Amino acid sequence: MKSCLIVDDSKVIRKVARHILETMQFEVTEAADGKEALDHVAQATPDVILLDWNMPIMSGMDFLRAYRSMNAVPSAKVIFCTTENGIGHIQAAIDEGADEYVMKPFDRETIESKLQILGCI
């Protein structure tokens, strides 16, 4: 079974994303900030990380930089999922190692299409 780590400080977003991913047969774990997510990936590498940008303690960008520097092999596909929609934000995320970018609010079709593009389903 494929696995996904949802990293978002919003419990509602995590719940919605969990529901979408579980209906797609993903095993889902959650983290409320980047620091918690780093602790999780140090223990087990998920197939996909759905990552929020703006979070307390450690932002999505700080998490992504730290995660990519860990040289985890294999590494997870990272999908930024955020309200930040400026081309500069998107480019910065891709430059730091994000594989895809999704705008909030999202739905099942959007997540599913990104997972297909990445070869995760």
Side-chain angles (χ1 to χ4, degrees):
M1 178 179 278
K2 297 272 187 173
S3 60
C4 181
L5 172 61
I6 301 167
V7 187
D8 200 300
D9 58 323
S10 167
K11 190 171 186 172
V12 171
I13 295 295
R14 291 195 314 265
K15 183 176 181 177
V16 169
R18 173 182 281 279
H19 175 73
I20 290 169
L21 289 156
E22 286 180 344
T23 64
M24 297 169 60
Q25 306 306 308
F26 275 81
E27 180 181 313
V28 177
T29 53
E30 300 178 17
D33 60 64
K35 171 75 172 85
E36 190 178 327
L38 273 182
D39 293 343
H40 177 81
V41 298
Q43 301 299 314
T45 301
D47 296 299
V48 179
I49 299 171
L50 199 63
L51 181 62
D52 185 25
W53 190 291
N54 297 308
M55 296 178 289
I57 302 172
M58 179 183 273
S59 73
M61 284 296 284
D62 289 340
F63 165 82
L64 184 58
R65 285 184 196 105
Y67 178 65
R68 291 299 191 212
S69 73
M70 291 170 66
N71 296 321
V73 177
S75 65
K77 298 291 186 184
V78 176
I79 302 173
F80 251 111
C81 188
T82 183
T83 57
E84 301 291 348
N85 64 355
I87 190 70
H89 283 96
I90 295 169
Q91 189 60 52
I94 299 301
D95 289 348
E96 289 295 334
D99 297 289
E100 272 296 339
Y101 201 93
V102 174
M103 295 302 303
K104 289 180 185 176
F106 54 83
D107 57 17
R108 180 190 164 99
E109 291 76 27
T110 302
I111 298 296
E112 190 170 26
S113 70
K114 295 298 183 177
L115 291 170
Q116 286 174 340
I117 288 167
L118 294 174
C120 297
I121 56 171

